[in-house]
């Protein structure tokens, strides 16, 4: 999908193209079902075409528990989403990373991990089920389902199921992505900025930050010009997280990195 995590507000995760080389088997989308857990904790099943078009699935609980698995470096946990101001439960490290990246995307207005499982009949009538790792609600009202692949790519089973999911969500005007992890430097930079995602880090200084960085300026020079670095640095990092300031994230962030106010932020703060 075009426009996700690109340009002024972030870096696009590496898309995994394994699914595109596989042909989807014929599935009657009218018979595809969606399983989810509603706000009251009741498990429900309804046709996918109805659920995808009518329900706020981003408000549902995870349709599957997140187990603690031996050997995984990062256990299940919670992420406070600046996008919605709510806690989002994740299951493993790659999922947490993509939650972080989506939380920074200006097109995302809400997100959840594994809120829906799709079920369909595969070859020989066997029931196939797949619960995509993440779901995001976009500003245009459509939805995004996403699966996380490792740096070595997606397994064949995930790739095959990704083809079916992409076809199914397209029918209801949604999007699907199978992505690998971001580049290590980009991930490290965004993770640093995420520590300053809470609005309290702005300290009422955002308008001044935007004004000071109307022209490309090394971060440290802009900070010194604005006053006490202890108060200003958090506001600058928050502006970089939220996209009010732009800086290259493909290189390690340091005090001499050049940043500039985004065209959108300049207009909003005039």
């Amino acid at each position: 999908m075009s426009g996700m995590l690109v340009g002024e507000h972030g870096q696009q995760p590496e898309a995994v193209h394994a699914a595109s080389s596989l042909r989807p088997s014929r599935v009657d989308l009218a018979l595809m079902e969606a399983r989810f857990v509603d706000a009251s904790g009741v498990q429900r099943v309804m046709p996918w075409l109805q659920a995808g078009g009518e329900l706020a699935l981003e408000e549902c609980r995870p349709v599957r528990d997140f187990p603690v698995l031996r050997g995984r470096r990062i256990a299940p946990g919670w992420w406070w989403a600046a996008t919605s101001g709510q806690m989002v439960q994740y299951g493993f490290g790659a999922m947490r990373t993509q939650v972080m990246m989506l939380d920074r995307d200006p097109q995302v207005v809400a997100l959840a991990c594994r809120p829906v499982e799709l079920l369909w009949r595969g070859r020989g009538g066997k029931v196939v089920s797949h619960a995509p790792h993440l779901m995001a609600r976009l500003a245009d009202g459509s939805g995004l389902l996403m699966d996380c692949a490792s740096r070595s790519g997606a397994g064949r089973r995930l790739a095959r199921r990704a083809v079916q999911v992409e076809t199914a969500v397209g029918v209801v005007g949604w999007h699907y992505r199978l992505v690998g992890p971001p580049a290590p430097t980009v991930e490290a930079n965004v993770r640093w900025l995420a520590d300053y995602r809470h609005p309290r880090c702005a300290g009422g200084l955002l308008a001044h930050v935007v004004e000071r960085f109307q022209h490309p300026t090394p971060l440290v020079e802009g900070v010194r010009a604005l006053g006490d670095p202890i108060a200003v640095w958090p506001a600058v990092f928050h502006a970089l997280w939220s996209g009010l300031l732009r800086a290259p994230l493909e290189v390690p962030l340091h005090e001499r990195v050049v940043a500039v106010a985004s065209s959108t932020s300049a207009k909003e703060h005039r």
Side-chain angles (χ1 to χ4, degrees), residues 141-187:
S142 66
L144 166 71
L145 291 179
M146 178 183 289
D147 276 308
C148 307
S150 67
R151 292 196 183 277
S152 60
R156 190 167 183 82
R157 185 175 72 168
L158 175 57
R160 286 189 178 280
R161 293 181 178 182
V163 175
Q164 300 292 358
V165 173
E166 184 174 22
T167 301
V169 301
V171 173
V172 295
W174 283 33
H175 316 273
Y176 175 78
R177 297 189 70 195
L178 174 58
V179 298
T185 301
V186 172
E187 180 178 348

Side-chain angles (χ1 to χ4, degrees), residues 8-84:
E8 298 179 354
H9 301 280
Q11 299 299 320
Q12 183 176 0
E14 296 180 6
V16 177
H17 300 291
S20 62
S21 63
L22 300 174
R23 290 185 178 182
S25 58
R26 291 185 178 180
V27 174
D28 188 344
L29 297 180
L31 299 179
M32 180 177 282
E33 295 181 321
R35 185 172 73 89
F36 58 94
V37 179
D38 64 21
S40 61
V42 176
Q43 185 178 121
R44 299 176 59 193
V45 177
M46 68 168 53
W48 161 246
L49 297 183
Q50 178 183 355
E54 299 177 3
L55 298 183
L57 292 171
E58 67 275 17
E59 298 176 3
C60 294
R61 304 180 185 184
V63 72
R64 296 183 187 173
D65 293 332
F66 297 125
V68 177
L69 300 178
R70 179 176 296 181
R72 272 191 176 166
R73 187 173 60 87
I74 299 176
W78 295 85
W79 175 271
W80 181 81
T83 296
S84 60

Side-chain angles (χ1 to χ4, degrees), residues 159-256:
R160 286 189 178 280
R161 293 181 178 182
V163 175
Q164 300 292 358
V165 173
E166 184 174 22
T167 301
V169 301
V171 173
V172 295
W174 283 33
H175 316 273
Y176 175 78
R177 297 189 70 195
L178 174 58
V179 298
T185 301
V186 172
E187 180 178 348
N189 285 336
V190 175
R191 195 169 301 285
W192 170 270
L193 296 177
D195 287 341
Y196 300 89
R197 65 188 183 276
H198 198 284
R200 64 171 173 262
C201 295
L205 298 175
L206 285 185
H208 300 291
V209 170
V210 170
E211 185 65 27
R212 183 63 186 80
F213 284 89
Q214 286 299 299
H215 303 286
T217 305
L219 290 174
V220 67
E221 294 182 11
V223 168
R224 288 171 178 168
L226 285 167
D228 181 6
I230 298 298
V232 176
W233 273 117
V236 169
F237 290 143
H238 180 78
L240 286 168
W241 162 267
S242 61
L244 296 177
L245 293 187
R246 293 186 290 111
L249 297 184
E250 300 83 0
V251 298
L253 280 174
H254 56 84
E255 65 177 11
R256 301 301 304 180

